[in-house]
């Protein structure tokens, strides 16, 4: 496969091109943001698990989102932080492939979980009388399992196609971590099959769910506008706007990275977009859901007021 070329056993992650002083500053800022992201998502997950009032389909999916955000960030950020203070920014081929696999798996799963959350809001607002029947626990569990399974199956396909490629130099990955598009550029073989499969998967986990969500939220908006109760409209808008903020951030950035044609000028932009996806998005999700969600804030206050036995 590699001809007479020696096979690459490790890559160098180029990362951000900054001065040494700036890298130290960025290291501490990113470290604090990463710790905050883990704590915030951990608090959301803990509240959902411990508070019986949050044992509903909406918060069931939100707990999966919290797990995904913690996993998503932990897959990329620690290595990124290490590279900021370590000038030998190497990563072996197998760890690089694993990082790429997990990145794609968590990202695809999150897309499908967000789609399931939009369906839950659609049923809750458009069919409130049938909510408990339509959103049974067996259906919620099935949607969650299917989301995780599809995400990892798609990632297995990408990883299989990646591992069969020869990498014989150069070995500089122009990215913050082993993002699959950046790694594919280093293959010394035709990657057209990989690109086509990646685009098809992007259509499946990005365009498909996004179209379903747009239809759901069009119906939801129409149902909200027909509500007689002002309090009911405000509550519905608050819940749905939180979800729309998360969907807009996640899907918007993912579609820019994976569905917009490549150009040399976009490489640095893609680094920043991926950084936002890996670090800032997992941090913003719990903030969006906690600050704009009265039930989460009430659960947090109850947890603080609960006296230890």
């Amino acid at each position: 496969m590699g001809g007479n070329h020696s096979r690459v056993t490790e890559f160098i992650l180029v990362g951000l091109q900054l001065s040494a002083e700036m890298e130290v500053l960025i290291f501490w800022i990113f470290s604090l943001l990463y710790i905050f992201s883990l704590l915030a998502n951990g608090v959301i997950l803990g509240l959902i698990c411990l508070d019986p009032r949050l044992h509903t389909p909406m918060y069931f999916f939100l707990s999966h989102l919290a797990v995904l955000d913690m996993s998503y960030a932990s897959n990329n950020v620690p290595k990124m932080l290490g590279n900021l203070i370590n000038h030998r920014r190497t990563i072996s081929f197998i760890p690089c492939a694993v990082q790429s696999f997990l990145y794609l798996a968590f990202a695809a799963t999150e897309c499908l979980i967000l789609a399931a959350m939009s369906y839950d809001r659609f049923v809750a607002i458009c069919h409130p009388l049938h909510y408990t029947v339509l959103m049974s626990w067996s259906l919620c569990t099935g949607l969650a399992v299917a989301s995780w399974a599809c995400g990892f199956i798609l990632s297995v396909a990408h990883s299989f196609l990646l591992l069969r490629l020869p990498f014989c130099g150069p070995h500089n990955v122009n990215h913050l971590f082993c993002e699959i598009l950046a790694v594919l550029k280093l293959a010394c073989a035709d990657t057209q099959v990989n690109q086509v499969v990646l685009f098809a998967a992007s259509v499946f986990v990005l365009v498909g769910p996004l179209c379903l969500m747009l239809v759901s939220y069009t119906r939801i908006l129409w149902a909200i506008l027909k509500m007689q109760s002002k309090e009911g409209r405000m509550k519905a808008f608050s819940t749905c706007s939180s979800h729309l903020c998360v969907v807009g951030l996640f899907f918007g950035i993912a579609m820019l990275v994976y569905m917009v044609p490549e150009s040399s000028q976009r490489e640095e932009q893609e680094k920043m977009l991926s950084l936002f996806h890996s670090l800032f998005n997992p941090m913003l999700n719990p903030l969006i859901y906690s600050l704009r969600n009265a039930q989460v804030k009430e659960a947090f206050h109850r947890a603080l007021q609960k006296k230890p036995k």
Side-chain angles (χ1 to χ4, degrees), residues 51-250:
D51 195 318
R53 299 184 198 185
L54 299 183
H55 291 175
T56 63
M58 174 183 169
Y59 294 104
F60 170 74
F61 291 122
L62 184 55
S63 68
H64 282 268
L65 188 64
V67 171
L68 282 165
D69 282 338
M70 288 189 288
S71 304
Y72 199 72
S74 297
N75 180 51
N76 301 330
V77 177
K79 181 64 178 175
M80 194 189 309
L81 293 174
N83 289 341
L84 285 170
I85 56 174
N86 182 8
H87 293 288
R88 190 175 183 273
R89 301 172 176 180
T90 58
I91 183 170
S92 299
F93 181 78
I94 296 301
C96 182
V98 171
Q99 189 180 59
S100 178
F101 166 77
L102 292 175
Y103 176 77
L104 292 170
F106 293 140
T109 304
E110 185 157 342
C111 289
L112 298 173
I113 288 290
L114 288 171
M117 291 175 74
S118 72
Y119 175 70
D120 169 71
R121 291 300 84 205
F122 165 74
V123 175
I125 294 171
C126 297
H127 303 284
L129 299 178
H130 302 96
Y131 180 72
T132 54
V133 175
L134 293 174
M135 292 304 297
S136 63
W137 281 111
S138 59
L139 176 65
C140 292
T141 304
L143 288 173
V145 171
S147 298
W148 283 90
C150 285
F152 275 79
I153 289 170
L154 286 172
S155 191
V156 166
H158 295 312
S159 297
F160 173 76
L161 292 173
L162 179 67
L163 291 172
R164 59 188 286 275
L165 292 173
F167 292 89
C168 43
H171 56 281
N172 290 344
V173 179
N174 189 19
H175 214 281
L176 302 164
F177 52 89
C178 286
E179 195 275 329
I180 190 164
L181 290 175
V183 176
L184 285 175
K185 292 175 183 177
L186 306 182
C188 45
D190 184 20
T191 61
Q192 187 174 0
V193 173
N194 301 70
Q195 301 282 357
V196 169
V197 172
L198 191 61
F199 184 81
S202 299
V203 171
F204 176 72
V205 299
L206 290 173
V207 179
L210 186 59
C211 289
L212 292 175
M213 282 187 271
L214 289 174
V215 172
S216 295
Y217 274 99
T218 301
R219 297 280 301 276
I220 287 170
L221 180 61
W222 183 248
I224 290 174
L225 293 174
K226 291 196 296 183
M227 286 181 179
Q228 300 297 321
S229 167
K230 183 179 179 181
E231 183 181 347
R233 285 200 302 270
M234 292 301 294
K235 184 178 179 181
F237 268 123
S238 176
T239 304
C240 294
S241 61
S242 299
H243 186 247
L244 279 174
C245 287
V246 173
V247 167
L249 285 171
F250 192 88

